[in-house]
Amino acid sequence: MTRWWSQTAGGLPRTFWYLWTATLINRLGSFVAIYLGVYLVSVRGLSPAYAGIVIGLHGAGSAAGGVLGGIVADRWGRRPAMLTGNVAAAAAAMALGLSGHPVAIAALTLLLGLCLGVARPAFTATVIDVVGERDRLRALTLNYWAINIGFAVAATVAGLLVRVQPLLLFAINAAVLLGTAALIGLTVPESRPAPVTVAQVARVDSGGLGTVLRDRVFLTFTALTGLAWLCIESSAMLPVALQADGLPASAFGPVIAVNGLMIVLGQLFVPRLIGRFDRSRTVAVAVVVIGAGFALTALADAVWFYALTVGVWTLGEMLMTPSNSALTADLAPAAQRGRYQGVYSLGHAFASFAGPTLGGLVAARFSTDVLWLGLFGLALLVAVGNLLAVRPRARRIAALRAAAAPAALREAAALA
């Protein structure tokens, strides 16, 4: 066990562990995003429809903030984006908890999503900056593990806080965001790679997204990732399927808990399982597993069967997520990592909105069984797309490494 832990978590730089700790702390206190809908309906007395709109605004703000934060991270630095984003998000969270007017709640929710989004691309870009290419899959997997541990704990604690004093959701979340900013400010140095060529200087100084938007390989990758996540986000329709089978709505809790439990207990075994395989092919296999899990859901008629199907598509999620994160790092030029991360986040933002929305429409117009089988078909198409992209991505990665090699040699010579 000691040897396995050393191979899983050993040898990573100290800065990464500061970032990992910041992730865990941040997610342990992410109460607002988890319980916002419940708070708006049960505490503020707003309609479910309005609560849905407000939650959608949070997602829209996060998507816009991701793009903006990526540009800030590349042009002015990782630290300014992370520190400004977390401190501003803390202020927005506290103001949201104190606000009772529906318009103010909507505006502050949009602002909160925007500020949180600003910090995220810089955070991931910093992890990529400080961890060597050989160890990135391990590092990104460990970070994903911390996210899920924090989410599981936060979901439990938030349920208790909303009963005791709803304002605590916002006050503690704000304090955690400030604590995250303090930890980063005190321990994490600026890691943005210095541009070494005239072309790199011009691209960074332009501050725009032109480089990313002209990168067809990366945009295709982002689109395929978004469609894969759309399948997972459509699991929001599981309570509808449970009720259609005559099962209690309360069964959704233990069923979906399988997802978090598997990730927390098993995610650290994934890097050794997939590390030696091509990442695009691994993603293709993972997406097929995700699709198979949802196809099985069409056959489920008991709580244990539904839990089994969640376990199947969760296995696919566990294989896909670190592989996609590593591919994002591989496909992004060092000088534009922030904005590449920002654009990549749009795929997940799209899925967070489209999964429940389109899933609900299909379930209402046809049935949940049609939805699950449709997701299986979509997953197969995404898998084929990833297989077709193997060679273009390999050429893109090889070109980036070839371009980076002279810069690395010049930096080493300068240090010598």
Side-chain angles (χ1 to χ4, degrees), residues 30-395:
S30 58
F31 303 136
V32 175
I34 296 173
Y35 259 74
L36 183 59
V38 174
Y39 168 81
L40 293 176
V41 174
S42 64
V43 178
R44 290 300 181 185
L46 299 172
S47 69
Y50 189 80
I53 293 172
V54 172
I55 293 171
L57 287 173
H58 185 279
S62 180
V67 175
L68 175 61
I71 294 172
V72 172
D74 285 342
R75 190 167 188 182
W76 289 291
R78 318 305 196 208
R79 280 169 55 87
M82 290 189 288
L83 296 176
T84 302
N86 278 291
V87 171
M94 198 65 240
L96 178 59
L98 295 171
S99 178
H101 194 282
V103 175
I105 288 173
L108 287 168
T109 301
L110 178 66
L111 178 63
L112 176 61
L114 180 74
C115 296
L116 290 172
V118 164
R120 285 171 185 155
F123 188 95
T124 307
T126 305
V127 172
I128 297 169
D129 292 340
V130 302
V131 176
E133 183 179 341
R134 187 182 66 178
D135 295 324
R136 281 177 189 158
L137 181 63
R138 289 194 299 132
L140 293 167
T141 300
L142 284 164
N143 197 60
Y144 183 58
W145 184 55
I147 288 171
N148 281 278
I149 291 175
F151 177 84
V153 174
T156 303
V157 175
L160 300 174
L161 291 177
V162 78
R163 294 186 183 93
V164 175
Q165 171 53 260
L167 184 59
L168 288 174
L169 291 172
F170 301 87
I172 297 177
N173 203 156
V176 165
L177 288 166
L178 291 175
T180 301
L183 177 60
I184 291 171
L186 293 172
T187 62
V188 179
E190 179 58 58
S191 65
R192 180 178 58 138
V196 295
T197 67
V198 174
Q200 285 180 342
V201 172
R203 284 196 295 269
V204 174
D205 286 346
S206 68
L209 297 172
T211 303
V212 190
L213 298 180
R214 289 190 296 270
D215 191 336
R216 289 179 293 179
V217 172
F218 187 80
L219 291 180
T220 302
F221 165 67
T222 300
L224 290 171
T225 302
L227 292 174
W229 275 106
L230 184 148
C231 295
I232 294 174
E233 295 292 342
S234 297
S235 62
M237 291 298 106
L238 279 173
V240 177
L242 287 165
Q243 290 184 317
D245 282 331
L247 300 171
S250 59
F252 176 69
V255 165
I256 201 64
V258 172
N259 175 261
L261 186 63
M262 282 185 61
I263 291 173
V264 170
L265 295 180
Q267 189 66 48
L268 294 186
F269 295 91
V270 169
R272 295 191 66 187
L273 179 65
I274 65 175
R276 64 183 183 274
F277 298 110
D278 176 84
R279 285 166 184 165
S280 293
R281 291 187 174 91
T282 300
V283 171
V285 172
V287 176
V288 171
V289 175
I290 291 170
F294 285 108
L296 286 172
T297 310
L299 304 175
D301 57 359
V303 173
W304 70 266
F305 201 158
Y306 275 101
L308 175 64
T309 67
V310 171
V312 173
W313 61 254
T314 296
L315 177 61
E317 179 187 350
M318 292 167 65
L319 298 174
M320 179 186 74
T321 303
S323 300
N324 272 339
S325 297
L327 268 172
T328 309
D330 292 341
L331 292 169
Q336 286 87 41
R337 280 175 184 153
R339 68 196 72 185
Y340 268 73
Q341 289 292 331
V343 171
Y344 173 74
S345 70
L346 293 178
H348 197 283
F350 157 77
S352 298
F353 172 78
T357 303
L358 296 179
L361 292 174
V362 172
R365 178 67 177 83
F366 302 101
S367 69
T368 52
D369 287 348
V370 171
L371 171 64
W372 308 135
L373 295 175
L375 293 177
F376 178 55
L378 176 61
L380 293 179
L381 291 175
V382 173
V384 171
N386 276 285
L387 291 175
L388 293 175
V390 168
R391 290 185 178 178
R393 289 175 189 169
R395 289 194 294 267

